[in-house]
Amino acid sequence: HEDKATQERREEEMFAAWQSRLREYPSERLNYFEQNLEVWRQLWRVCERSDIIMLVMDARFPLFHFPPALYKYVSEDLKKPLLLVLNKRD
């Protein structure tokens, strides 16, 4: 296993690569969480360890809540299935 410093350096490199790919999306489609290293680290670890990723979105505004960069990362880079679940509060 990697030591902590090596793992953090690798995560920082991967985050920099992630951010460079975000440039292909309009800035209004990005949110704070897609640009935050600590949030990204947790999401990356969960996605890496998971067999399938489930994304729950508000059914009233699904495109507003759908992160295309995350979809591309999970489906193309990790080659894992991404299940989209539409949920309505009422």
Side-chain angles (χ1 to χ4, degrees):
H1 286 194
E2 302 176 328
D3 64 18
K4 183 178 179 180
T6 302
Q7 181 178 359
E8 287 180 353
R9 186 175 56 253
R10 188 169 62 99
E11 289 173 348
E12 288 171 4
E13 290 168 0
M14 292 182 74
F15 184 67
W18 165 266
Q19 284 187 313
S20 69
R21 281 191 276 164
L22 289 179
R23 292 187 189 115
E24 65 187 71
Y25 301 101
S27 60
E28 62 272 4
R29 290 285 294 142
L30 302 176
N31 62 46
Y32 167 78
F33 301 107
E34 290 177 288
Q35 302 175 62
N36 181 291
L37 177 58
E38 290 307 313
V39 171
W40 189 86
R41 272 187 173 131
Q42 293 176 32
L43 178 62
W44 175 75
R45 289 176 183 152
V46 168
C47 289
E48 187 177 71
R49 293 177 182 166
S50 300
D51 293 325
I52 186 170
I53 290 80
M54 181 173 64
L55 179 60
V56 180
M57 299 183 302
D58 187 334
R60 296 170 296 172
F61 309 105
L63 293 178
F64 180 75
H65 297 283
F66 179 76
L70 179 62
Y71 172 76
K72 187 174 183 179
Y73 172 69
V74 170
S75 64
E76 294 180 14
D77 295 351
L78 297 178
K79 300 199 182 332
K80 294 186 178 187
L82 179 67
L83 177 64
L84 301 176
V85 178
L86 299 177
N87 185 30
K88 193 167 175 210
R89 192 174 122 185
D90 59 356

